[in-house]
Amino acid sequence: AQSVTQLGSHVSVSEGALVLLRCNYSSSVPPYLFWYVQYPNQGLQLLLKYTTGATLVKGINGFEAEFKKSETSFHLTKPSAHMSDAAEYFCAVSSNRDDKIIFGKGTRLHILP
Amino acid sequence: DAGITQSPRHKVTETGTPVTLRCHQTENHRYMYWYRQDPGHGLRLIHYSYGVKDTDKGEVSDGYSVSRSKTEDFLLTLESATSSQTSVYFCAISEQSSNQPQHFGDGTRLSIL
């Protein structure tokens, strides 16, 4: 079975500081990995995804994530936080053997002025 | 944005009443999903569909049923609503399963008194 663990249900960073949201996954087969963002009263939007190929994946709004198989991690980063980045972020895992995506419990990102 | 419409967007009802939520898509995607989102639990899959009249259970399917008679519509029914089913419900669609991202509707906020 696959699973996702997001470390920290709440993360606070200052505006302009590095954003680092942690995600570790468990999968017995090669994983497909996703990061989604959810703004208040909205559905989830895809930030980026990893399926195969380059392990450093660039997404929208300046975010990127790196797939590290040896560490079973897919952490999300952004060099400089902006107030508009305040939202909830979800990591998710799937594989080519499953019709479903498993979501983590989410990390709420707070941006301090 | 993917064409996904959830209706109603808000609903308040009483315990024991039947409730049906509708998800309508204009993208002709094969896969459709129903999730519920609760604080501390992230998104949990209720049911999903991989084609017309083809559905399967997710991790929290008890108390819910679904139907898909047309590609564009996926209905979620609570036969006899309970207070534990108070939640925000999201519909998602995907062109293919697994390695393709899911696109989400804006959610239905359901309160059962």
Side-chain angles (χ1 to χ4, degrees):
Chain A
Q2 296 178 306
S3 66
V4 174
T5 301
Q6 292 185 238
L7 299 178
S9 58
H10 291 266
V11 170
S12 296
V13 302
S14 298
E15 190 173 20
L18 172 71
V19 175
L20 171 61
L21 304 183
R22 300 178 186 274
C23 173
N24 288 92
Y25 69 90
S26 173
S27 178
S28 59
V29 296
Y32 300 142
L33 295 161
F34 307 83
W35 274 101
Y36 287 83
V37 61
Q38 184 182 31
Y39 299 102
N41 299 315
Q42 295 185 21
L44 278 68
Q45 303 172 31
L46 181 71
L47 271 179
L48 48 81
K49 68 173 182 177
Y50 168 80
T51 52
T52 59
T55 56
L56 181 62
V57 180
K58 295 186 184 299
I60 62 172
N61 301 338
F63 285 93
E64 63 182 35
E66 186 171 11
F67 169 59
K68 292 187 177 181
K69 183 179 179 181
S70 61
E71 299 178 8
T72 61
S73 69
F74 191 57
H75 301 332
L76 182 70
T77 61
K78 182 175 180 178
S80 177
H82 191 273
M83 296 299 291
S84 61
D85 295 326
E88 190 156 20
Y89 292 80
F90 293 90
C91 183
V93 65
S94 182
S95 77
N96 63 3
R97 298 188 185 180
D98 207 336
D99 289 339
K100 303 183 291 292
I101 292 178
I102 306 300
F103 287 87
K105 295 184 178 182
T107 297
R108 186 167 296 279
L109 177 63
H110 304 271
I111 309 298
L112 307 174
Chain B
D1 290 344
I4 308 170
T5 304
Q6 290 187 231
S7 58
R9 293 293 316 279
H10 301 271
K11 186 173 182 66
V12 180
T13 191
E14 294 182 347
T15 301
T17 60
V19 177
T20 296
L21 308 183
R22 179 180 184 235
C23 178
H24 178 78
Q25 61 147 326
T26 59
E27 305 297 319
N28 200 36
H29 284 354
R30 178 182 174 190
Y31 288 83
M32 298 185 76
Y33 304 81
W34 276 109
Y35 295 90
R36 59 178 291 174
Q37 183 176 25
D38 304 286
H41 292 276
L43 271 79
R44 292 181 291 175
L45 182 65
I46 305 171
H47 283 280
Y48 70 102
S49 170
Y50 48 95
V52 174
K53 298 186 179 179
D54 292 324
T55 65
D56 204 351
K57 296 179 179 180
E59 66 174 300
V60 291
S61 59
D62 287 349
Y64 301 94
S65 62
V66 290
S67 66
R68 191 169 178 198
S69 59
K70 300 183 290 185
T71 297
E72 57 266 34
D73 289 326
F74 192 33
L75 304 181
L76 177 70
T77 297
L78 292 65
E79 300 291 347
S80 178
T82 68
S83 58
S84 65
Q85 293 175 312
T86 292
S87 186
V88 181
Y89 292 84
F90 286 98
C91 174
I93 65 173
S94 176
E95 190 168 11
Q96 303 173 28
S97 65
S98 66
N99 66 337
Q100 294 299 314
Q102 296 182 3
H103 302 282
F104 284 78
D106 287 333
T108 294
R109 187 172 297 274
L110 178 62
S111 297
I112 301 167
L113 307 177

